[in-house]
Amino acid sequence: MSAAIGPDNARSIALVAKLGFSREGVLRDHVFMNGAWRDSLLYSLLAPEWQENNVRLQRATEAFNAAVSRPGIAESFDRDFGKKSH
């Protein structure tokens, strides 16, 4: 997969970084927008990297679910973070 992102788009850059994309380089004068040519940052993620990230995410989710299913966890969460009532 690849993503071409404007250099000023910090949120998109943070998202692809969080997903495990690697920065490949700059596409100079890549898009014509608002009357001017603009650069794009190019990011990519290879299939094996995507699969590795998914395995890590699945393991982390399973560990989290196992931790919160222990007796007393829900009560301590409510105590620490406050149970909201509507």
Side-chain angles (χ1 to χ4, degrees):
M1 291 186 281
S2 64
I5 302 171
D8 297 330
N9 191 340
R11 287 185 175 193
S12 292
I13 293 168
L15 175 62
V16 295
K18 187 174 184 175
L19 292 173
F21 280 66
S22 296
R23 182 174 165 170
E24 300 294 346
V26 177
L27 299 171
R28 298 182 303 151
D29 290 347
H30 180 233
V31 294
F32 191 79
M33 186 171 55
N34 298 328
W37 286 99
R38 312 266 182 209
D39 293 349
S40 294
L41 303 179
L42 183 62
Y43 291 83
S44 71
L45 183 67
L46 301 176
E49 296 166 334
W50 175 257
Q51 292 167 348
E52 181 181 319
N53 287 346
N54 280 340
V55 168
R56 271 190 272 144
L57 178 60
Q58 183 177 4
R59 287 182 182 154
T61 300
E62 290 169 357
F64 174 79
N65 289 337
V68 298
S69 67
R70 291 191 315 236
I73 294 296
E75 293 80 9
S76 65
F77 181 88
D78 291 341
R79 181 193 66 240
D80 294 342
F81 297 102
K83 191 173 192 176
K84 293 187 179 186
S85 59
H86 297 285

